[in-house]
């Protein structure tokens, strides 16, 4: 994985884990310093995130998108559904044990 991809993945992870619609993100200058890359590499990594729908930019800097791309929401929904299925199974097992004791 190149530095550009490393920066993009780190920022994508930050956006997904700390999502706040329109939340301000780190400057490209800070990314340049943090990852020891050229300003061009940092800018290209952020452009990758803009194209993917995670980030937008204006004259004040880079910001989290108003909502996560569909793929992230789908992944999150799948994870929640899996947790709910596991909890339902656990509750069913408890109900079965209770039925046996009554």
């Amino acid at each position: 994985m190149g530095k550009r991809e490393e920066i993009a993945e780190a920022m994508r992870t930050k956006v997904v884990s700390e999502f706040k619609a329109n939340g301000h993100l780190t400057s490209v200058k800070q990314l340049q310093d943090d990852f020891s890359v050229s300003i061009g590499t940092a800018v290209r990594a952020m452009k990758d995130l803009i194209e993917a729908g995670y980030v937008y930019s204006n004259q004040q800097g880079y910001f989290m998108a108003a909502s996560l791309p569909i793929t992230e929401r789908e992944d999150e929904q799948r994870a929640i559904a899996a947790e709910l299925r596991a909890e339902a199974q656990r509750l069913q097992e408890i109900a079965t044990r209770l039925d046996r004791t009554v």
Side-chain angles (χ1 to χ4, degrees), residues 3-50:
K3 285 287 189 174
R4 174 181 171 177
E5 292 82 10
E6 183 182 341
I7 295 168
E9 181 60 23
M11 293 305 294
R12 186 194 69 77
T13 299
K14 179 180 178 76
V15 168
V16 171
S17 66
E18 301 174 17
F19 182 73
K20 179 180 177 192
N22 305 308
H24 195 263
L25 292 168
T26 305
S27 70
V28 288
K29 175 64 176 134
Q30 188 63 51
L31 292 174
Q32 177 187 20
D33 294 343
D34 291 349
F35 289 89
S36 301
V37 295
S38 71
I39 197 78
T41 298
V43 168
R44 285 189 298 278
M46 294 305 285
K47 283 185 180 181
D48 291 345
L49 292 174
I50 290 170

Side-chain angles (χ1 to χ4, degrees), residues 28-98:
V28 288
K29 175 64 176 134
Q30 188 63 51
L31 292 174
Q32 177 187 20
D33 294 343
D34 291 349
F35 289 89
S36 301
V37 295
S38 71
I39 197 78
T41 298
V43 168
R44 285 189 298 278
M46 294 305 285
K47 283 185 180 181
D48 291 345
L49 292 174
I50 290 170
E51 290 174 8
Y54 291 94
V55 172
Y56 71 92
S57 68
N58 61 29
Q59 294 172 335
Q60 285 81 37
Y62 291 90
F63 299 85
M64 295 182 192
S67 63
L68 293 175
I70 297 287
T71 57
E72 288 300 325
R73 284 184 271 158
E74 288 174 348
D75 288 346
E76 185 178 324
Q77 288 172 347
R78 282 189 198 104
I80 290 169
E83 288 176 24
L84 289 172
R85 281 191 295 277
E87 184 64 12
Q89 182 178 358
R90 187 183 73 78
L91 291 172
Q92 183 61 45
E93 290 168 2
I94 291 170
T96 300
R97 283 190 302 236
L98 287 172

